[in-house]
Amino acid sequence: MEQFDLVFAKTNRIILRRFNHNDTKSFYLYRSNPEIAKFQSWENYQYHDAENFVNEQMKHNPNQPGTWFQFAIALSENNQLIGDCALHTLLIEPRIVEIGFTLSPSHQGKGYATEAVRALLDYLFFTLKKHKIIAFSDVRNNRSIAVLERLGMRREGHLLQNYMSKGQWVDEYQYSILKSEWENNERKNDNE
Ligand SMILES: CC(C)(COP(=O)(O)OP(=O)(O)OC[C@H]1O[C@@H](n2cnc3c(N)ncnc32)[C@H](O)[C@@H]1OP(=O)(O)O)[C@@H](O)C(=O)NCCC(=O)NCCS
């Protein structure tokens, strides 16, 4: 299978790259943390789940309709894994994609998630030529909502009891941004 580049996007502080075996331990440590899983579907995450996850991600490429791809977020200075960004390319309309993101607790509160998702949006709109990007957030997940709103994503819907999390139906907000909106926002930022 043709392999995409190892590094998909860069900023001054971080890179978005493919996962590799050296990431497994760090990935397991934050994924298995109950605080990280609080607003996510998984619970009781095991080391072998992390090993399977990394093995699978190493085989796949982004931008395949009907699949999820996970980008590793790593520090530019030492390549250390600090989190991940997910990309779901919709099967029926692959010009519309869904994203998600997670940061290890020790790297939160430093702007890395916002920086990583900004780089991801640039990559998706300008390299992969996507039309619209959406994200779902549990309505109680204030830190996730803050990241999405900082990037200028619009709250497009309040979806009642939209997913089952830890035995309970949970409401979600759907956030979105069009390519035209992203270009306008970027232009405004450049002029400031
Ligand atoms: C959602 C999540 C990634 C947000 O992480 P976060 O650390 O709050 O977000 P950022 O990395 O963008 O950091 C923003 C904070 O860093 C601060 N900051 C510090 N230094 C900064 C810098 N140099 N540049 C920018 N911001 C900086 C900002 O002021 C902001 O602080 P505030 O929250 O007090 O306003 C994290 O909470 C997480 O992993 N949660 C679990 C997984 C999850 O629920 N994901 C969402 C599913 S879609």
Side-chain angles (χ1 to χ4, degrees), residues 163-176:
Y163 86 106
M164 173 62 70
S165 175
K166 304 179 174 72
Q168 189 190 348
W169 285 110
V170 170
D171 287 9
E172 289 184 299
Y173 292 135
Q174 177 172 325
Y175 277 85
S176 297

Side-chain angles (χ1 to χ4, degrees), residues 21-155:
H21 288 303
N22 296 333
D23 298 323
T24 309
K25 192 170 168 207
S26 309
F27 178 73
Y28 166 69
L29 285 175
Y30 69 74
R31 262 256 166 154
S32 59
N33 181 324
E35 267 308 298
I36 290 292
K38 191 166 171 190
F39 300 118
Q40 305 286 347
S41 52
W42 68 82
E43 53 192 328
N44 196 20
Y45 203 78
Q46 301 295 314
Y47 193 79
H48 64 81
D49 295 324
E51 284 177 314
N52 291 342
F53 173 94
V54 170
N55 285 339
E56 278 305 303
Q57 289 307 314
M58 287 173 64
K59 286 189 225 153
H60 293 129
N61 286 319
N63 203 21
Q64 311 301 311
T67 69
W68 285 89
F69 181 84
Q70 217 93 5
F71 299 88
I73 308 172
L75 293 176
S76 310
E77 59 184 21
N78 58 11
N79 205 21
Q80 184 201 336
L81 182 79
I82 62 165
D84 57 82
C85 293
L87 170 65
H88 176 203
T89 306
L90 302 194
L91 181 62
I92 296 171
E93 178 45 274
R95 289 168 293 187
I96 300 180
V97 294
E98 177 189 349
I99 59 165
F101 39 84
T102 299
L103 217 52
S104 85
S106 52
H107 291 89
Q108 292 184 14
K110 296 177 180 141
Y112 288 127
T114 305
E115 194 167 319
V117 180
R118 178 172 287 119
L120 179 65
L121 296 187
D122 273 342
Y123 171 73
L124 295 174
F125 282 132
F126 301 128
T127 304
L128 299 188
K129 312 280 186 221
K130 297 301 174 187
H131 169 66
K132 177 174 180 172
I133 296 173
I134 62 178
F136 296 95
S137 176
D138 187 313
V139 297
R140 301 164 300 174
N141 194 348
N142 294 329
R143 300 195 73 167
S144 160
I145 290 168
V147 170
L148 296 166
E149 294 191 349
R150 240 180 254 126
L151 290 164
M153 292 187 74
R154 269 177 301 103
R155 188 181 295 176

